[in-house]
Structures are given as structure tokens and as C-alpha cells.
Amino acid sequence: METFAGLKEFSGNLYYQAQKQKIRIDLSDGMIDMPIIDLIKGYNKLPYCFTLQSCYGHFIYNGKKNIHNLEPLPVEGAIDKIEYRIAYIAFCIENSTLGKKLFDSLKEITSIDPENIQFCCAEWFWKRQVNSYVLQVEPDRFKHEDTAILDYKEALHIEKIRKQFFARLYELVENISKS
């Protein structure tokens, strides 16, 4: 899955509400990585946004071969290479004033670490769902891939960025929900 493409302009979408309803009906907790279930539910409660797909991001290495590994990296590493499966959330955002405000807030999340967080479009999402945007945590040199091979030190950095990324997303949806 290639996720990264440049940002596209919002388009009109007469079917937005019906598409949102279908996604909400078809989505179950078992389809979402456990650490972000409440986050996804929070965004899906917004009337001008719904999620299309997500991944918490997984580190796979010697002794941790489960592709859905959620365990933190060991504090001290004797690990040479680590496969990182990107953390991301794909959103469909309504072409409305509140949708565009959310878009701007999501775009700002890249400021945590612009070299490792991208806000983009993905052609294959856009073909299925206009106004779809992706926030992803991935070293910039791998932004066109859904996996990357990292050395231990870089993997620790990405793990730290991933934690900040999801904390900021939780904070954003909580603040929106309160207003």
C-alpha cells in the first residue's frame, strides 16, 4: 500500500452522510488496534469526519515476529534491524467550514516532527472516497511505503514520535468534543 501523495483540494460529495453511515455500521472494535480504539471512536462521532483505516504502528524484530506487535521496544537494544509498519489514520473530511477547520488542525500535527510525520492524500483512498486525507508517522525517506527497515536508535525515535502523535490526536478530538 502506497500511502503518500500530495494534498488535494476539497471536492463536493453529495454522498458524504451515506458513506459515513456505512463506514460506521461496518466498523468494529476488532478491526482497530487496541491502543487507538477510543481515538477512532472519537473522530467517528464528529459529524464532519469519519475514519477509513488506521494502524497504531508496529515494530517487528527478533523475538517479536507478530505483525500486530504492540509491545514497546526494549530499553536497551541488541537489535540490529527493526521492521516498522507505519502508524497512520486515514480520514474522510466533509467539505464544510468545520471540516476545513479540522483539516487545518490535523495538518498542524506534522509540527511535532516534520521529518517523520506527513499529512497527505493516498490515491487509492481518494479513488474510493473523495476528501480522504492521511496522517502518518514514517521517516520522510520512506513516506511512499507502508513499511521501513530502521536501526534501533531510529526506531526508538519513531516510537517516541508515534506516542506524541497519538497523544496530540487524542487531545484534538477531546477539545473538539468539549466545544
Side-chain angles (χ1 to χ4, degrees):
M1 172 179 74
E2 185 173 298
T3 55
F4 186 87
L7 289 174
K8 294 182 180 226
E9 295 291 322
F10 278 95
S11 297
N13 182 0
L14 298 174
Y15 306 105
Y16 172 83
Q17 290 300 329
Q19 292 164 338
K20 179 179 176 72
Q21 187 64 24
K22 178 167 179 15
I23 290 289
R24 288 182 70 180
I25 289 169
D26 293 345
L27 186 64
S28 69
D29 288 358
M31 300 166 72
I32 306 168
D33 288 331
M34 188 271 310
I36 58 174
I37 290 173
D38 290 336
L39 179 68
I40 299 304
K41 286 180 177 180
Y43 280 97
N44 285 334
K45 287 179 185 175
L46 301 175
Y48 46 88
C49 170
F50 62 91
T51 61
L52 297 166
Q53 219 174 64
S54 62
C55 183
Y56 182 68
H58 307 283
F59 296 99
I60 298 134
Y61 53 94
N62 296 342
K64 300 293 179 191
K65 298 289 186 185
N66 179 351
I67 61 171
H68 300 289
N69 178 32
L70 295 172
E71 293 180 36
L73 291 168
V75 176
E76 294 183 12
I79 306 165
D80 186 31
K81 297 293 178 190
I82 298 169
E83 180 183 342
Y84 170 63
R85 296 184 176 219
I86 68 170
Y88 71 94
I89 299 180
F91 299 91
C92 179
I93 303 173
E94 183 179 48
N95 184 5
S96 66
T97 301
L98 288 174
K100 289 176 181 175
K101 185 176 177 184
L102 175 64
F103 174 92
D104 291 339
S105 295
L106 291 171
K107 192 174 181 183
E108 185 60 33
I109 289 176
T110 63
S111 68
I112 295 168
D113 186 337
E115 293 180 16
N116 292 297
I117 299 175
Q118 299 86 33
F119 188 53
C120 55
C121 288
E123 285 298 327
W124 75 278
F125 278 129
W126 196 274
K127 287 177 183 172
R128 286 179 30 213
Q129 184 67 62
V130 298
N131 302 330
S132 59
Y133 300 94
V134 180
L135 256 173
Q136 64 183 33
V137 178
E138 176 119 64
D140 194 64
R141 69 187 183 280
F142 297 113
K143 67 185 174 189
H144 294 283
E145 308 297 328
D146 62 350
T147 62
I149 303 299
L150 309 175
D151 66 27
Y152 176 73
K153 184 177 177 183
E154 185 175 27
L156 281 177
H157 180 70
I158 293 300
E159 183 179 51
K160 176 183 165 193
I161 298 307
R162 179 188 68 181
K163 182 178 180 180
Q164 294 171 343
F165 170 82
F166 283 118
R168 183 81 65 88
L169 282 168
Y170 269 108
E171 181 181 300
L172 174 61
V173 77
E174 285 175 13
N175 289 338
I176 290 170
S177 298
K178 290 176 186 174
S179 58

